[in-house]
Amino acid sequence: MIEYFLKLDQQLFHAINTGLSNAFFDWLMPILRNKYTWIPLYIFIIAFAIKTYKIKGLYFTLFLAVTAGIADFGSSSILKPTFNRIRPCNDIEMQKTVITRVPCGLGKSFPSTHASDHFAIAIFLIMIFYKKWKPIILIAIIWAFLICFAQVYVGVHYPFDVVVGIIFGSLIGFCMAKLFNKNITLFI
């Protein structure tokens, strides 16, 4: 059964990594998955929260940072060493067919920390702001999904790595938002 899923994962990987290959994605996807691309967005979110909600905005910022930190630490320092899955771009059997569009790195593949971190942030933001601003649901999900998709497209993660990262990050984002909403209500 596991062999079936691993084979399916490789087939989906190739469908995205090579099957969807085009010049526009070759340019865009490395930008989307680059952590520095999103620094202006993070600064905006923090500035908006502090300016709009004052001390509660500071608490929001703290909770958001802890949310991302827990997702990042859990994925990269606990789950990846536990599962020890090789990245597709480092897998000897896959290297001949993988199109690597960014440096592969030596880290492990499962789960995707990009997926964990960005879905933790997205779900946290959705749960905090959806009552006041409904478009946050679609915007945050599309934003996080594009980053996850880019991870597969550039050749550094299998789709299953991303799916598990999404689930892990979403659970962390959900739990941290519940904790935040229980202790600090932004919208009284």
Side-chain angles (χ1 to χ4, degrees), residues 26-105:
D26 288 354
W27 168 78
L28 180 62
M29 294 303 158
I31 294 170
L32 289 179
R33 54 112 25 219
N34 186 322
K35 61 184 174 184
Y36 299 113
T37 298
W38 302 108
I39 290 174
L41 175 63
Y42 304 145
I43 291 170
F44 170 78
I45 291 168
I46 292 166
F48 168 80
I50 292 171
K51 184 176 191 269
T52 305
Y53 302 108
K54 311 296 184 243
I55 191 70
K56 290 180 181 179
L58 286 172
Y59 287 125
F60 164 83
T61 301
L62 177 65
F63 268 78
L64 182 62
V66 169
T67 299
I70 291 170
D72 192 84
F73 179 79
S75 175
S76 64
S77 298
I78 297 172
L79 296 177
K80 281 187 180 190
T82 300
F83 292 102
N84 203 29
R85 187 178 194 193
I86 297 172
R87 293 181 181 273
C89 48
N90 284 333
D91 187 336
I92 302 291
E93 294 175 18
M94 297 281 291
Q95 280 181 334
K96 293 176 186 166
T97 57
V98 172
I99 300 173
T100 305
R101 296 175 174 96
V102 297
C104 189

Side-chain angles (χ1 to χ4, degrees), residues 10 45 69 73-74 81 88 104 109 128 141 144 153 166 181:
Q10 288 178 345
I45 291 168
F73 179 79
C104 189
S109 187
I128 302 303
I141 295 297
Y153 185 82
I166 288 169
N181 283 331

Side-chain angles (χ1 to χ4, degrees), residues 102-118:
V102 297
C104 189
L106 300 174
K108 298 302 178 184
S109 187
F110 181 83
S112 166
T113 300
H114 273 74
S116 297
D117 295 356
H118 290 92

Side-chain angles (χ1 to χ4, degrees), residues 2-41:
I2 288 182
E3 286 299 319
Y4 170 78
F5 284 115
L6 292 176
K7 193 70 166 165
L8 179 63
D9 202 22
Q10 288 178 345
Q11 290 171 347
L12 289 171
F13 172 81
H14 283 300
I16 294 167
N17 179 256
T18 56
L20 297 178
S21 186
N22 65 74
F24 179 68
F25 278 7
D26 288 354
W27 168 78
L28 180 62
M29 294 303 158
I31 294 170
L32 289 179
R33 54 112 25 219
N34 186 322
K35 61 184 174 184
Y36 299 113
T37 298
W38 302 108
I39 290 174
L41 175 63

